[in-house]
Amino acid sequence: MALNPRHAVCTGSFDPPTLGHLNIIRRGSNICERLTVGIGINPDKTPLFTPDERLSILRSIVDELGNVEVKCFHGLAVDFVQECGAAVMLRGVRSLTDMEAEFTMTLANHMLCPEVETVFLMASENYTHISSTLIKQIAHMGGSRAGEQLERFVPNEVIEPLLEKVR
Ligand code: ADP
């Protein structure tokens, strides 16, 4: 089956989704016909949110974007991209350190599946410092002001479930 060059897949852990992720998803959805967000399930990692929790939070966040769907997947991201019938893997890059890791990953993915092209979007300047790890630290250590602080980093849909997790 030929892969669709107008269909992109954005994979990640999204544990939890941040405004940085949402920015990449929104911009990706503007430049392709269809965007699938893939939540990778890695049995070696112990995420804060279960795959089902991440799925339901992400679906509520992207609800307003008509051409975006969210799914979970096991295994290699590049295999998931092909299973979706998409020809594009979309990645966001924040820094040169991100770029170095992405460069290696892209070369490996290209060897595994030359039909899939990786496309990078540079993080918007407001979001370059945001990572899921930082968000979890703020939630754990932000005390009574954590909710207020988190508004600057994550979509509203994430705040309550995140505070609930760390309570
Ligand atoms: P992974 O565990 O694969 O790094 P993440 O959930 O951290 O997954 O990220 C998923 C995708 O979103 C990756 O392409 C990552 O580079 C990108 N990303 C993460 N945070 C940001 C951000 N603040 N701005 C832009 N892109 C981001």
Side-chain angles (χ1 to χ4, degrees), residues 96-106:
L96 285 180
T97 323
D98 263 4
M99 202 54 229
E100 205 175 326
E102 293 292 339
F103 190 65
T104 316
M105 189 91 79
T106 302

Side-chain angles (χ1 to χ4, degrees), residues 17-154:
T18 69
L19 289 178
H21 291 132
L22 180 59
N23 179 256
I24 295 296
I25 293 169
R26 261 185 211 287
R27 287 161 59 205
S29 78
N30 283 336
I31 57 172
C32 61
E33 270 171 16
R34 191 172 161 200
L35 180 70
T36 302
V37 179
I39 303 169
I41 301 173
N42 183 344
D44 297 331
K45 281 191 185 169
T46 317
L48 185 63
F49 288 92
T50 66
D52 280 348
E53 287 169 337
R54 282 176 276 162
L55 188 68
S56 116
I57 294 172
L58 258 170
R59 280 189 174 153
S60 66
I61 293 170
V62 302
D63 194 38
E64 38 150 0
L65 304 172
N67 61 345
V68 180
E69 65 186 339
V70 189
K71 292 179 178 174
C72 288
F73 72 96
H74 292 269
L76 294 176
V78 75
D79 288 341
F80 175 66
V81 176
Q82 288 180 89
E83 278 159 30
C84 292
V88 179
M89 182 182 256
L90 179 71
R91 304 286 298 169
V93 281
R94 287 160 288 191
S95 61
L96 285 180
T97 323
D98 263 4
M99 202 54 229
E100 205 175 326
E102 293 292 339
F103 190 65
T104 316
M105 189 91 79
T106 302
L107 290 176
N109 284 337
H110 201 72
M111 284 182 79
L112 292 169
C113 181
E115 295 82 25
V116 170
E117 287 292 354
T118 303
V119 171
F120 296 101
L121 286 181
M122 231 176 82
S124 295
E125 58 178 331
N126 295 346
Y127 304 121
T128 43
H129 56 294
I130 302 182
S131 67
S132 297
T133 307
L134 171 76
I135 302 307
K136 284 180 269 198
Q137 282 170 351
I138 296 173
H140 275 294
M141 297 187 260
S144 58
R145 290 189 57 220
E148 210 179 297
Q149 303 282 19
L150 285 168
E151 282 175 16
R152 295 151 61 203
F153 302 102
V154 294

